[in-house]
Amino acid sequence: MTAIASAAAPVGDRVLKPRTRSPFVHKFLANKGAVIGATVLLVFIAAALLAPWIAPYDPLKANFLAVRKAPSMLYWLGTDELGRDLFSRLLWGARSSLVAGGVSVAIAMAIGVPLGLIAGYFGGKLDAMISRVVDALLSCPFLVLAIALGAFLGPSLTNAMIAIGLSAMPIFSRLTRGQVLAIRHEDYLEGARAIGLPDRWIILRYVLPNVMSPLVVQATLTIASAILAEASLSFLGLGQQPPSPSWGSMLNTAKNFMEQAPWMSIAPGVAIYITVLCFNLLGDGLRDALDPKH
């Protein structure tokens, strides 16, 4: 009796019950890799946001008295060919890489998800037309298409984000269409149609919320690919332009000094590797936590 009373104690007309974690939170926290990935990403995001305050040096200011200095207490990650502090440039470069990943995926979802919803819900000739365009884009490898679009639009971070977003759009369109086809004839949708609800209301109110879980997982995994693509475009001179730092442009510069100053390539390379790995771990954790079968 004492245990029961302590578990649910009456207060007036109410009964206070102990709080329990949601199944999603419980399953996510049980995945140690996902928790580690999310924690590291939060650190990276915080460092990028606080770069103006925690960067010890101006990332654009050259110091010709400290050209290609090895890592030391004064320059934690060393300096580059112009004497600029690599740690400061790494922090500011995190802004470009993380923003490029997030904005690119936002562009891809803003275009791909509506197309997938329309194709899957209405079907017919509209579905056939959208599907053929998506199939044509999917026939070209993601990175090759991003490089081609980046070269066509011109070298800049904005154009690189647009190119990456357009290249990733078919993935979200195809995924959304498949999810909509799986639920298109469910009873709750048939009931909504029977009472005369307009199609746009049914799509926004009933269809979209029920296909969001796989889209969130795919978005997390695609951000990792987008960061790699942005680094590749910047490495080729199609992304962030000098002197503004980005991890890809830092690698582009470092390739010319691999023997004289190998530390110039280590910092941005490790940063890209850790960020992409953590996004993949986070995506795997979200997939398991959102999967009703687990």
PDB file of all heavy atoms in Angstrom, residues 95-126:
ATOM      1  N   ARG A  95      31.379  27.481 -39.702  1.00  0.00           N
ATOM      2  CA  ARG A  95      30.151  28.195 -40.060  1.00  0.00           C
ATOM      3  C   ARG A  95      29.767  27.915 -41.511  1.00  0.00           C
ATOM      4  O   ARG A  95      28.617  27.574 -41.804  1.00  0.00           O
ATOM      5  CB  ARG A  95      30.331  29.699 -39.855  1.00  0.00           C
ATOM      6  CG  ARG A  95      30.370  30.140 -38.411  1.00  0.00           C
ATOM      7  CD  ARG A  95      30.342  31.639 -38.316  1.00  0.00           C
ATOM      8  NE  ARG A  95      29.936  32.087 -36.987  1.00  0.00           N
ATOM      9  CZ  ARG A  95      29.546  33.310 -36.704  1.00  0.00           C
ATOM     10  NH1 ARG A  95      29.494  34.230 -37.670  1.00  0.00           N
ATOM     11  NH2 ARG A  95      29.191  33.643 -35.483  1.00  0.00           N
ATOM     12  N   SER A  96      30.720  28.045 -42.409  1.00  0.00           N
ATOM     13  CA  SER A  96      30.438  27.830 -43.833  1.00  0.00           C
ATOM     14  C   SER A  96      29.996  26.400 -44.096  1.00  0.00           C
ATOM     15  O   SER A  96      29.008  26.160 -44.803  1.00  0.00           O
ATOM     16  CB  SER A  96      31.684  28.161 -44.665  1.00  0.00           C
ATOM     17  OG  SER A  96      32.089  29.488 -44.467  1.00  0.00           O
ATOM     18  N   SER A  97      30.694  25.431 -43.520  1.00  0.00           N
ATOM     19  CA  SER A  97      30.398  24.029 -43.795  1.00  0.00           C
ATOM     20  C   SER A  97      29.054  23.610 -43.208  1.00  0.00           C
ATOM     21  O   SER A  97      28.247  22.942 -43.880  1.00  0.00           O
ATOM     22  CB  SER A  97      31.518  23.145 -43.241  1.00  0.00           C
ATOM     23  OG  SER A  97      32.740  23.426 -43.890  1.00  0.00           O
ATOM     24  N   LEU A  98      28.787  23.995 -41.957  1.00  0.00           N
ATOM     25  CA  LEU A  98      27.525  23.610 -41.331  1.00  0.00           C
ATOM     26  C   LEU A  98      26.338  24.326 -41.960  1.00  0.00           C
ATOM     27  O   LEU A  98      25.279  23.719 -42.177  1.00  0.00           O
ATOM     28  CB  LEU A  98      27.586  23.897 -39.831  1.00  0.00           C
ATOM     29  CG  LEU A  98      28.582  23.054 -39.032  1.00  0.00           C
ATOM     30  CD1 LEU A  98      28.636  23.515 -37.575  1.00  0.00           C
ATOM     31  CD2 LEU A  98      28.200  21.575 -39.083  1.00  0.00           C
ATOM     32  N   VAL A  99      26.509  25.605 -42.269  1.00  0.00           N
ATOM     33  CA  VAL A  99      25.423  26.340 -42.933  1.00  0.00           C
ATOM     34  C   VAL A  99      25.169  25.758 -44.318  1.00  0.00           C
ATOM     35  O   VAL A  99      24.003  25.599 -44.732  1.00  0.00           O
ATOM     36  CB  VAL A  99      25.769  27.840 -43.029  1.00  0.00           C
ATOM     37  CG1 VAL A  99      24.819  28.559 -43.979  1.00  0.00           C
ATOM     38  CG2 VAL A  99      25.697  28.481 -41.655  1.00  0.00           C
ATOM     39  N   ALA A 100      26.230  25.426 -45.035  1.00  0.00           N
ATOM     40  CA  ALA A 100      26.062  24.841 -46.365  1.00  0.00           C
ATOM     41  C   ALA A 100      25.292  23.524 -46.286  1.00  0.00           C
ATOM     42  O   ALA A 100      24.399  23.267 -47.109  1.00  0.00           O
ATOM     43  CB  ALA A 100      27.425  24.617 -47.009  1.00  0.00           C
ATOM     44  N   GLY A 101      25.622  22.686 -45.295  1.00  0.00           N
ATOM     45  CA  GLY A 101      24.903  21.421 -45.146  1.00  0.00           C
ATOM     46  C   GLY A 101      23.436  21.634 -44.826  1.00  0.00           C
ATOM     47  O   GLY A 101      22.555  21.027 -45.455  1.00  0.00           O
ATOM     48  N   GLY A 102      23.139  22.517 -43.873  1.00  0.00           N
ATOM     49  CA  GLY A 102      21.752  22.748 -43.472  1.00  0.00           C
ATOM     50  C   GLY A 102      20.927  23.416 -44.550  1.00  0.00           C
ATOM     51  O   GLY A 102      19.798  22.983 -44.852  1.00  0.00           O
ATOM     52  N   VAL A 103      21.466  24.468 -45.178  1.00  0.00           N
ATOM     53  CA  VAL A 103      20.721  25.197 -46.206  1.00  0.00           C
ATOM     54  C   VAL A 103      20.508  24.323 -47.438  1.00  0.00           C
ATOM     55  O   VAL A 103      19.421  24.341 -48.051  1.00  0.00           O
ATOM     56  CB  VAL A 103      21.449  26.497 -46.569  1.00  0.00           C
ATOM     57  CG1 VAL A 103      20.789  27.173 -47.764  1.00  0.00           C
ATOM     58  CG2 VAL A 103      21.463  27.454 -45.379  1.00  0.00           C
ATOM     59  N   SER A 104      21.504  23.547 -47.825  1.00  0.00           N
ATOM     60  CA  SER A 104      21.367  22.676 -48.993  1.00  0.00           C
ATOM     61  C   SER A 104      20.240  21.666 -48.799  1.00  0.00           C
ATOM     62  O   SER A 104      19.422  21.448 -49.703  1.00  0.00           O
ATOM     63  CB  SER A 104      22.685  21.946 -49.257  1.00  0.00           C
ATOM     64  OG  SER A 104      23.723  22.849 -49.516  1.00  0.00           O
ATOM     65  N   VAL A 105      20.177  21.070 -47.626  1.00  0.00           N
ATOM     66  CA  VAL A 105      19.120  20.101 -47.351  1.00  0.00           C
ATOM     67  C   VAL A 105      17.761  20.795 -47.273  1.00  0.00           C
ATOM     68  O   VAL A 105      16.744  20.245 -47.718  1.00  0.00           O
ATOM     69  CB  VAL A 105      19.427  19.329 -46.051  1.00  0.00           C
ATOM     70  CG1 VAL A 105      18.247  18.471 -45.627  1.00  0.00           C
ATOM     71  CG2 VAL A 105      20.653  18.454 -46.245  1.00  0.00           C
ATOM     72  N   ALA A 106      17.726  22.016 -46.741  1.00  0.00           N
ATOM     73  CA  ALA A 106      16.464  22.767 -46.703  1.00  0.00           C
ATOM     74  C   ALA A 106      15.961  23.031 -48.125  1.00  0.00           C
ATOM     75  O   ALA A 106      14.749  22.918 -48.397  1.00  0.00           O
ATOM     76  CB  ALA A 106      16.660  24.069 -45.948  1.00  0.00           C
ATOM     77  N   ILE A 107      16.870  23.400 -49.031  1.00  0.00           N
ATOM     78  CA  ILE A 107      16.484  23.616 -50.431  1.00  0.00           C
ATOM     79  C   ILE A 107      15.969  22.317 -51.047  1.00  0.00           C
ATOM     80  O   ILE A 107      14.950  22.303 -51.754  1.00  0.00           O
ATOM     81  CB  ILE A 107      17.681  24.166 -51.226  1.00  0.00           C
ATOM     82  CG1 ILE A 107      18.047  25.574 -50.752  1.00  0.00           C
ATOM     83  CG2 ILE A 107      17.380  24.165 -52.725  1.00  0.00           C
ATOM     84  CD1 ILE A 107      19.324  26.121 -51.370  1.00  0.00           C
ATOM     85  N   ALA A 108      16.687  21.228 -50.790  1.00  0.00           N
ATOM     86  CA  ALA A 108      16.279  19.934 -51.351  1.00  0.00           C
ATOM     87  C   ALA A 108      14.899  19.518 -50.854  1.00  0.00           C
ATOM     88  O   ALA A 108      14.061  19.041 -51.639  1.00  0.00           O
ATOM     89  CB  ALA A 108      17.313  18.872 -50.985  1.00  0.00           C
ATOM     90  N   MET A 109      14.628  19.723 -49.574  1.00  0.00           N
ATOM     91  CA  MET A 109      13.322  19.344 -49.027  1.00  0.00           C
ATOM     92  C   MET A 109      12.226  20.286 -49.503  1.00  0.00           C
ATOM     93  O   MET A 109      11.099  19.849 -49.765  1.00  0.00           O
ATOM     94  CB  MET A 109      13.383  19.343 -47.498  1.00  0.00           C
ATOM     95  CG  MET A 109      14.281  18.284 -46.909  1.00  0.00           C
ATOM     96  SD  MET A 109      14.182  18.200 -45.104  1.00  0.00           S
ATOM     97  CE  MET A 109      12.537  17.512 -44.877  1.00  0.00           C
ATOM     98  N   ALA A 110      12.536  21.572 -49.614  1.00  0.00           N
ATOM     99  CA  ALA A 110      11.526  22.541 -50.045  1.00  0.00           C
ATOM    100  C   ALA A 110      11.033  22.254 -51.456  1.00  0.00           C
ATOM    101  O   ALA A 110       9.882  22.559 -51.792  1.00  0.00           O
ATOM    102  CB  ALA A 110      12.097  23.953 -49.965  1.00  0.00           C
ATOM    103  N   ILE A 111      11.880  21.663 -52.285  1.00  0.00           N
ATOM    104  CA  ILE A 111      11.473  21.330 -53.653  1.00  0.00           C
ATOM    105  C   ILE A 111      11.022  19.873 -53.761  1.00  0.00           C
ATOM    106  O   ILE A 111       9.986  19.571 -54.362  1.00  0.00           O
ATOM    107  CB  ILE A 111      12.634  21.595 -54.633  1.00  0.00           C
ATOM    108  CG1 ILE A 111      13.053  23.067 -54.578  1.00  0.00           C
ATOM    109  CG2 ILE A 111      12.236  21.216 -56.048  1.00  0.00           C
ATOM    110  CD1 ILE A 111      14.280  23.385 -55.403  1.00  0.00           C
ATOM    111  N   GLY A 112      11.800  18.981 -53.167  1.00  0.00           N
ATOM    112  CA  GLY A 112      11.535  17.558 -53.347  1.00  0.00           C
ATOM    113  C   GLY A 112      10.302  17.045 -52.633  1.00  0.00           C
ATOM    114  O   GLY A 112       9.546  16.227 -53.182  1.00  0.00           O
ATOM    115  N   VAL A 113      10.062  17.500 -51.400  1.00  0.00           N
ATOM    116  CA  VAL A 113       8.920  16.995 -50.637  1.00  0.00           C
ATOM    117  C   VAL A 113       7.586  17.363 -51.289  1.00  0.00           C
ATOM    118  O   VAL A 113       6.714  16.494 -51.451  1.00  0.00           O
ATOM    119  CB  VAL A 113       8.987  17.480 -49.169  1.00  0.00           C
ATOM    120  CG1 VAL A 113       7.707  17.121 -48.421  1.00  0.00           C
ATOM    121  CG2 VAL A 113      10.200  16.866 -48.473  1.00  0.00           C
ATOM    122  N   PRO A 114       7.348  18.623 -51.685  1.00  0.00           N
ATOM    123  CA  PRO A 114       6.083  18.925 -52.372  1.00  0.00           C
ATOM    124  C   PRO A 114       5.893  18.133 -53.663  1.00  0.00           C
ATOM    125  O   PRO A 114       4.776  17.672 -53.955  1.00  0.00           O
ATOM    126  CB  PRO A 114       6.192  20.432 -52.654  1.00  0.00           C
ATOM    127  CG  PRO A 114       7.108  20.948 -51.612  1.00  0.00           C
ATOM    128  CD  PRO A 114       8.113  19.851 -51.414  1.00  0.00           C
ATOM    129  N   LEU A 115       6.972  17.966 -54.435  1.00  0.00           N
ATOM    130  CA  LEU A 115       6.851  17.181 -55.661  1.00  0.00           C
ATOM    131  C   LEU A 115       6.476  15.733 -55.349  1.00  0.00           C
ATOM    132  O   LEU A 115       5.641  15.132 -56.034  1.00  0.00           O
ATOM    133  CB  LEU A 115       8.161  17.232 -56.445  1.00  0.00           C
ATOM    134  CG  LEU A 115       8.514  18.566 -57.117  1.00  0.00           C
ATOM    135  CD1 LEU A 115       9.869  18.469 -57.798  1.00  0.00           C
ATOM    136  CD2 LEU A 115       7.441  18.961 -58.123  1.00  0.00           C
ATOM    137  N   GLY A 116       7.094  15.165 -54.311  1.00  0.00           N
ATOM    138  CA  GLY A 116       6.770  13.799 -53.928  1.00  0.00           C
ATOM    139  C   GLY A 116       5.346  13.665 -53.415  1.00  0.00           C
ATOM    140  O   GLY A 116       4.657  12.671 -53.693  1.00  0.00           O
ATOM    141  N   LEU A 117       4.882  14.649 -52.658  1.00  0.00           N
ATOM    142  CA  LEU A 117       3.507  14.631 -52.162  1.00  0.00           C
ATOM    143  C   LEU A 117       2.505  14.678 -53.317  1.00  0.00           C
ATOM    144  O   LEU A 117       1.520  13.919 -53.345  1.00  0.00           O
ATOM    145  CB  LEU A 117       3.268  15.812 -51.222  1.00  0.00           C
ATOM    146  CG  LEU A 117       3.940  15.756 -49.849  1.00  0.00           C
ATOM    147  CD1 LEU A 117       3.781  17.089 -49.128  1.00  0.00           C
ATOM    148  CD2 LEU A 117       3.348  14.632 -48.997  1.00  0.00           C
ATOM    149  N   ILE A 118       2.750  15.548 -54.271  1.00  0.00           N
ATOM    150  CA  ILE A 118       1.839  15.687 -55.411  1.00  0.00           C
ATOM    151  C   ILE A 118       1.842  14.421 -56.253  1.00  0.00           C
ATOM    152  O   ILE A 118       0.785  13.901 -56.632  1.00  0.00           O
ATOM    153  CB  ILE A 118       2.247  16.909 -56.264  1.00  0.00           C
ATOM    154  CG1 ILE A 118       2.009  18.194 -55.478  1.00  0.00           C
ATOM    155  CG2 ILE A 118       1.481  16.938 -57.579  1.00  0.00           C
ATOM    156  CD1 ILE A 118       2.576  19.429 -56.140  1.00  0.00           C
ATOM    157  N   ALA A 119       3.041  13.900 -56.538  1.00  0.00           N
ATOM    158  CA  ALA A 119       3.140  12.705 -57.378  1.00  0.00           C
ATOM    159  C   ALA A 119       2.488  11.502 -56.706  1.00  0.00           C
ATOM    160  O   ALA A 119       1.741  10.741 -57.338  1.00  0.00           O
ATOM    161  CB  ALA A 119       4.603  12.413 -57.689  1.00  0.00           C
ATOM    162  N   GLY A 120       2.754  11.306 -55.424  1.00  0.00           N
ATOM    163  CA  GLY A 120       2.208  10.146 -54.733  1.00  0.00           C
ATOM    164  C   GLY A 120       0.726  10.234 -54.458  1.00  0.00           C
ATOM    165  O   GLY A 120       0.008   9.220 -54.519  1.00  0.00           O
ATOM    166  N   TYR A 121       0.224  11.433 -54.172  1.00  0.00           N
ATOM    167  CA  TYR A 121      -1.187  11.573 -53.795  1.00  0.00           C
ATOM    168  C   TYR A 121      -2.111  11.560 -55.007  1.00  0.00           C
ATOM    169  O   TYR A 121      -3.149  10.892 -55.001  1.00  0.00           O
ATOM    170  CB  TYR A 121      -1.382  12.864 -53.010  1.00  0.00           C
ATOM    171  CG  TYR A 121      -2.789  13.049 -52.489  1.00  0.00           C
ATOM    172  CD1 TYR A 121      -3.188  12.435 -51.306  1.00  0.00           C
ATOM    173  CD2 TYR A 121      -3.705  13.833 -53.176  1.00  0.00           C
ATOM    174  CE1 TYR A 121      -4.478  12.592 -50.821  1.00  0.00           C
ATOM    175  CE2 TYR A 121      -4.996  13.995 -52.698  1.00  0.00           C
ATOM    176  CZ  TYR A 121      -5.378  13.386 -51.518  1.00  0.00           C
ATOM    177  OH  TYR A 121      -6.658  13.547 -51.048  1.00  0.00           O
ATOM    178  N   PHE A 122      -1.750  12.277 -56.057  1.00  0.00           N
ATOM    179  CA  PHE A 122      -2.644  12.395 -57.213  1.00  0.00           C
ATOM    180  C   PHE A 122      -2.418  11.301 -58.244  1.00  0.00           C
ATOM    181  O   PHE A 122      -3.353  10.878 -58.915  1.00  0.00           O
ATOM    182  CB  PHE A 122      -2.485  13.779 -57.859  1.00  0.00           C
ATOM    183  CG  PHE A 122      -2.951  14.916 -56.997  1.00  0.00           C
ATOM    184  CD1 PHE A 122      -2.041  15.720 -56.351  1.00  0.00           C
ATOM    185  CD2 PHE A 122      -4.302  15.148 -56.815  1.00  0.00           C
ATOM    186  CE1 PHE A 122      -2.463  16.765 -55.547  1.00  0.00           C
ATOM    187  CE2 PHE A 122      -4.733  16.195 -56.008  1.00  0.00           C
ATOM    188  CZ  PHE A 122      -3.831  16.996 -55.369  1.00  0.00           C
ATOM    189  N   GLY A 123      -1.180  10.833 -58.389  1.00  0.00           N
ATOM    190  CA  GLY A 123      -0.894   9.762 -59.325  1.00  0.00           C
ATOM    191  C   GLY A 123      -1.137  10.178 -60.765  1.00  0.00           C
ATOM    192  O   GLY A 123      -1.114  11.360 -61.121  1.00  0.00           O
ATOM    193  N   GLY A 124      -1.377   9.189 -61.623  1.00  0.00           N
ATOM    194  CA  GLY A 124      -1.711   9.462 -63.007  1.00  0.00           C
ATOM    195  C   GLY A 124      -0.576  10.068 -63.805  1.00  0.00           C
ATOM    196  O   GLY A 124       0.610   9.817 -63.576  1.00  0.00           O
ATOM    197  N   LYS A 125      -0.949  10.926 -64.777  1.00  0.00           N
ATOM    198  CA  LYS A 125       0.039  11.538 -65.659  1.00  0.00           C
ATOM    199  C   LYS A 125       0.971  12.479 -64.897  1.00  0.00           C
ATOM    200  O   LYS A 125       2.148  12.594 -65.236  1.00  0.00           O
ATOM    201  CB  LYS A 125      -0.668  12.293 -66.780  1.00  0.00           C
ATOM    202  CG  LYS A 125      -1.438  11.396 -67.744  1.00  0.00           C
ATOM    203  CD  LYS A 125      -2.065  12.210 -68.865  1.00  0.00           C
ATOM    204  CE  LYS A 125      -2.810  11.298 -69.836  1.00  0.00           C
ATOM    205  NZ  LYS A 125      -3.448  12.075 -70.945  1.00  0.00           N
ATOM    206  N   LEU A 126       0.428  13.136 -63.881  1.00  0.00           N
ATOM    207  CA  LEU A 126       1.260  14.043 -63.095  1.00  0.00           C
ATOM    208  C   LEU A 126       2.368  13.272 -62.386  1.00  0.00           C
ATOM    209  O   LEU A 126       3.532  13.706 -62.361  1.00  0.00           O
ATOM    210  CB  LEU A 126       0.391  14.783 -62.079  1.00  0.00           C
ATOM    211  CG  LEU A 126       1.019  15.969 -61.344  1.00  0.00           C
ATOM    212  CD1 LEU A 126       1.471  17.024 -62.338  1.00  0.00           C
ATOM    213  CD2 LEU A 126       0.028  16.566 -60.354  1.00  0.00           C
TER     214      LEU A 126
END
